[in-house]
Amino acid sequence: MRTLRENKINFYKNELNFRKIAQELYKDNATEHSIYICDLTKVQRQFELWQDCLPNIKPYYAVKTNNDALVVKTLAELGAGFDCASVEEMQMVLEAGVTGDRIIFAHPCKPLSHLQYAQQHQINISTVDTEFELFKLKQHFPNSDIVLRFRSDAKICGWPLGKKFGCEAQTDTAALILLARSLQLKIAGTSFHVGCECEDLEAFVRALSTARELYDVGKMLGYDMNFVDIGGGYHGGNNEFFKKIAKTISSSLDLYFGNEPIKCISEPGRYFVEAAFTLVCKITGKREMRNALGQLESIMYFINDGKYGSFIDTGRDFSNVMYFSENHLEQQKYKTTIWGPTCDSTDKIVDNLYLPRLHRGDLLAFPNMGAYTLCLASKFNGIPLPKVVYYQQQN
Ligand SMILES: Cc1ncc(COP(=O)(O)O)c(C=O)c1O
């Protein structure tokens, strides 16, 4: 894990000049790593947009999305809360100066040592979706504030989570609340996650309607139930869509909870970081494919990051890839395949892209690479992990 002290922030005035920064970073073949350009101002802007659109919902950044220390520090200073899934994540957030009451331990299945760590650091709120987890809490953390996670899936989303997490609202929740009561545990409220990159506006309406039903059930059984956690699932690179979702969420909260004294939180991950990171890669090799007449038909490039590094998520949009060359480039574009650096033949980043004829040493820059990238990268084949350089706009 990088420490805060190693991280230097570079300041810029108007716009970030990716070409200039990328070429400077790779000057004289000084590095073989792929490099992230992180614009912390974008993280701040996302926070401000959140405050404008959803002022009554406190964002708890899902650290799993990108556990970069400066991102965590930036959000901590802005006043965000944090969704953590493990000791390491909790530790990192606490080290950024955040107190336990601004953290939710949002993993519904918690290893004991992680639970003990949460208890020692007054991280009291945690998510549960089975009776087994209730028994675990009874034994190891009986005075925690429990949030029941129920399943409520978006009809269209990039990454559904409901098959793995969330109890069935209609059949399981009342039984779990009753069990919690008999174990003298405290149920604080409910949570859900509609699925990542949700495209279904109505998903939040349905989920909040269910949350209200469970609120009533919990109240009937003697609990306050004033904690409503609406999970994550927002796009990171499409703020217009976020504004629409935010409107739907606000009106559904009004509709279902009106003046009820609830504390509403959300666990956005991708939303805060996706657009803040641009990945710059170097072309380390190429192969030109010709037809029987010797005419150039398509080109393969081999670059210094791949499927086992930053590109594990295969559903990316590559239409906005930038290319930087110190050579003159012809106008003509060729069918292009980009391969990752390992010996695995499935380590392919993209096919069917059209780019001009590039050269070894030229650079490719991929925008919107801040979510579920760096945190998933492995050193398979001994390929070094990417580095990060930081930028922030000067006021
Ligand atoms: C419990 C929980 N909360 C929040 C998130 C963040 O989701 P997103 O990046 O879609 O906002 C996830 C992602 O897997 C999650 O599992």
Side-chain angles (χ1 to χ4, degrees), residues 239-372:
N239 282 339
E240 289 315 305
F241 193 70
F242 171 71
K243 287 179 197 164
K244 277 192 203 159
I245 287 222
K247 265 196 187 144
T248 307
I249 291 171
S250 296
S251 54
S252 303
L253 268 180
D254 275 353
L255 176 66
Y256 295 115
F257 287 94
N259 295 324
E260 297 295 324
I262 57 161
K263 173 179 177 180
C264 189
I265 75 150
S266 182
E267 299 168 359
R270 185 180 294 275
Y271 168 81
F272 276 124
V273 286
E274 183 167 271
F277 285 68
T278 299
L279 177 66
V280 187
C281 299
K282 183 161 75 168
I283 296 175
T284 54
K286 65 185 273 195
R287 171 176 293 142
E288 295 190 338
M289 320 291 279
R290 293 173 187 278
N291 63 18
L293 299 173
Q295 293 155 330
L296 182 56
E297 280 201 324
S298 61
I299 310 179
M300 292 180 177
Y301 297 108
F302 299 83
I303 68 171
N304 58 350
D305 203 338
K307 200 179 93 173
Y308 294 94
S310 300
F311 293 94
I312 192 165
D313 176 359
T314 47
R316 293 195 177 278
D317 170 19
F318 289 97
S319 57
N320 51 7
V321 64
M322 297 176 271
Y323 41 87
F324 308 128
S325 178
E326 302 209 340
N327 302 295
H328 167 74
L329 297 181
E330 301 156 16
Q331 293 261 306
Q332 186 170 354
K333 294 193 172 171
Y334 296 90
K335 189 168 171 247
T336 300
T337 302
I338 303 176
W339 295 97
T342 70
C343 296
D344 178 2
S345 63
T346 69
D347 186 3
K348 182 165 70 182
I349 297 169
V350 58
D351 234 342
N352 289 337
L353 201 62
Y354 280 81
L355 295 180
R357 190 179 186 185
L358 299 166
H359 307 277
R360 188 169 62 77
D362 287 352
L363 304 177
L364 294 173
F366 301 88
N368 295 333
M369 285 291 289
Y372 307 106

Side-chain angles (χ1 to χ4, degrees), residues 363-382:
L363 304 177
L364 294 173
F366 301 88
N368 295 333
M369 285 291 289
Y372 307 106
T373 48
L374 195 52
C375 53
L376 296 170
S378 82
K379 288 181 73 179
F380 177 51
N381 262 207

Side-chain angles (χ1 to χ4, degrees), residues 105 110-119 136-137 140-141:
F105 191 177
K110 295 168 268 299
L112 273 192
S113 59
H114 297 225
L115 197 54
Q116 279 153 0
Y117 184 89
Q119 187 173 31
K136 194 193 285 174
L137 285 172
H140 299 283
F141 196 170

